C-alpha cells in the first residue's frame, strides 16, 4: 500500500485510518511505501511506529532519502518478529530508491518503490532478481513498481516471479483508477509455487492517492 505519507485525497493527515484499514484486512504482512519518519510535512511523527502500535505488528523501516528534517522510504509491518533485515540501494538519480528485505521464519518479503525513470526501473528489476536468488524459502515482492503490466520492467520480473495480485484491476489514482502500478509477486525461480485463494484491490478512495492491494496466498 502506497500510503502517500498519511495524507489523504481530502488533504488531511490521518495515519489512524491507514491503521484501521490494515486491521480490517488483518494481514500477516503489510508492505507500505511513501512512509515518513519525523518529517515536518507530516507533523514530525514516526508513521510506521504509530501504525505498529495501532495494529500490534512489528515495524521495519528502511529509509530511501533524508527529507524535510526526517526520513522517507519503505516500511514493513509483520505479525512475526523478523529474523533478519537488509536494505539494498536501487537506481534513482532524481530520488534515491531502495528495496527493504525482511526474512521471516517461513518466507521472505521484499518491499520497494521504484523510480519514475524507465531505464532505472529496468535496472532495479534486474537488481532485485539478483538480490533474492540465494533464498530457498518462498519470497514475496510487493510495492509501487511505477510500471504498467506489459512494460519492460514487468517482463523482466515475470521471468522469475509470478504476479499474485490482479494486474487487470487498476490501483492509481485512488479516486478514479486508470492504471496498475502496484503489485504483489511470488518468486518462482527457486522452485516455489503459490496458490492464491483471494486477490483484490480494496476500494479505498480517500486515505491515499493509491488503492491498497490484498492477496491471500497458500504456499505449496
Amino acid at each position: 500500500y502506497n500510503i502517500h505519507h498519511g495524507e489523504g485525497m481530502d488533504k488531511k493527515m490521518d495515519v489512524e485510518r491507514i491503521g484501521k484499514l490494515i486491521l480490517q484486512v488483518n494481514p500477516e504482512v503489510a508492505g507500505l511505501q511513501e512512509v515518513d519518519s519525523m518529517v515536518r510535512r507530516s507533523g514530525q511523527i514516526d508513521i510506521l511506529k504509530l501504525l505498529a502500535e495501532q495494529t500490534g505488528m512489528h515495524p521495519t523501516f528502511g529509509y530511501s532519502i533524508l527529507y524535510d528534517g526526517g526520513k522517507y522510504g519503505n516500511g514493513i509491518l509483520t505479525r512475526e518478529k523478523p529474523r533478519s533485515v537488509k536494505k539494498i540501494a536501487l537506481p534513482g538519480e532524481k530520488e534515491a530508491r531502495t528495496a527493504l528485505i525482511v526474512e521471516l521464519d517461513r518466507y521472505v518479503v521484499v518491499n520497494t518503490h521504484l523510480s519514475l525513470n524507465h531505464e532505472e526501473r529496468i535496472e532495479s528489476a534486474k537488481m532485485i532478481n539478483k538480490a533474492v536468488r540465494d533464498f530457498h524459502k518462498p519470497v514475496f515482492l510487493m510495492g509501487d513498481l511505477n510500471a504498467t503490466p506489459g512494460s519492460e520492467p514487468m517482463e523482466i520480473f515475470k521471468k522469475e516471479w509470478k504476479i499474485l495480485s490482479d494486474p487487470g484491476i487498476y490501483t492509481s489514482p485512488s479516486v478514479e483508477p486508470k492504471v496498475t502500478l502496484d503489485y504483489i509477486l511470488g518468486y518462482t525461480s527457486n522452485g516455489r509455487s503459490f496458490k492464491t485463494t483471494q486477490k483484490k484491490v480494496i476500494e479505498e478512495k480517500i486515505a491515499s492517492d493509491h488503492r491498497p492491494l490484498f492477496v491471500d496466498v497458500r504456499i505449496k
Side-chain angles (χ1 to χ4, degrees):
Y1 189 15
N2 181 328
I3 65 168
H4 195 237
H5 63 270
E7 182 183 331
M9 301 306 289
D10 54 4
K11 304 299 182 184
K12 294 178 181 178
M13 269 297 304
D14 192 342
V15 175
E16 189 175 347
R17 64 183 165 190
I18 301 287
K20 286 179 180 177
L21 180 63
I22 294 170
L23 284 168
Q24 287 170 11
V25 175
N26 192 29
E28 285 188 29
V29 176
L32 310 175
Q33 304 85 44
E34 296 197 12
V35 181
D36 277 359
S37 176
M38 309 310 291
V39 176
R40 290 188 190 95
R41 69 176 173 188
S42 51
Q44 292 183 302
I45 57 174
D46 186 333
I47 287 177
L48 197 67
K49 183 182 177 183
L50 291 174
L51 288 173
E53 290 170 352
Q54 186 178 353
T55 61
M57 299 174 81
H58 293 277
T60 303
F61 181 63
Y63 78 91
S64 298
I65 61 171
L66 301 175
Y67 179 75
D68 196 21
K71 297 176 179 179
Y72 168 83
N74 302 304
I76 298 177
L77 295 170
T78 54
R79 285 191 199 168
E80 173 193 328
K81 188 176 181 179
R83 292 183 61 174
S84 69
V85 175
K86 182 180 181 182
K87 183 177 75 172
I88 62 169
L90 299 175
E93 186 176 342
K94 290 188 176 180
E95 179 185 318
R97 304 282 175 166
T98 62
L100 184 60
I101 304 172
V102 169
E103 182 183 4
L104 301 167
D105 186 43
R106 292 176 294 118
Y107 53 88
V108 177
V109 180
V110 184
N111 182 30
T112 193
H113 186 187
L114 297 189
S115 171
L116 294 170
N117 177 278
H118 178 69
E119 296 302 323
E120 290 178 349
R121 288 196 297 273
I122 290 172
E123 189 59 30
S124 294
K126 294 175 181 177
M127 291 173 70
I128 290 170
N129 285 350
K130 184 178 179 181
V132 302
R133 279 179 189 150
D134 289 337
F135 287 113
H136 300 292
K137 296 177 180 180
V139 185
F140 297 96
L141 170 63
M142 53 184 71
D144 176 354
L145 303 184
N146 270 319
T148 54
S151 64
E152 190 173 351
M154 293 309 301
E155 291 303 316
I156 292 169
F157 278 127
K158 281 188 274 187
K159 290 176 182 177
E160 302 196 31
W161 305 76
K162 178 184 178 182
I163 299 178
L164 303 177
S165 52
D166 186 347
I169 304 176
Y170 299 151
T171 63
S172 178
S174 58
V175 175
E176 193 175 334
K178 297 177 181 178
V179 66
T180 297
L181 300 176
D182 309 89
Y183 302 84
I184 299 172
L185 295 83
Y187 189 66
T188 54
S189 279
N190 63 357
R192 296 287 180 170
S193 59
F194 307 90
K195 180 183 179 182
T196 54
T197 58
Q198 189 180 172
K199 57 177 80 175
K200 60 183 177 181
V201 175
I202 298 165
E203 291 191 28
E204 168 52 65
K205 299 181 180 182
I206 304 301
S208 171
D209 60 346
H210 286 240
R211 291 193 178 188
L213 300 179
F214 172 71
V215 175
D216 195 358
V217 186
R218 296 290 179 266
I219 301 167
K220 293 184 182 178

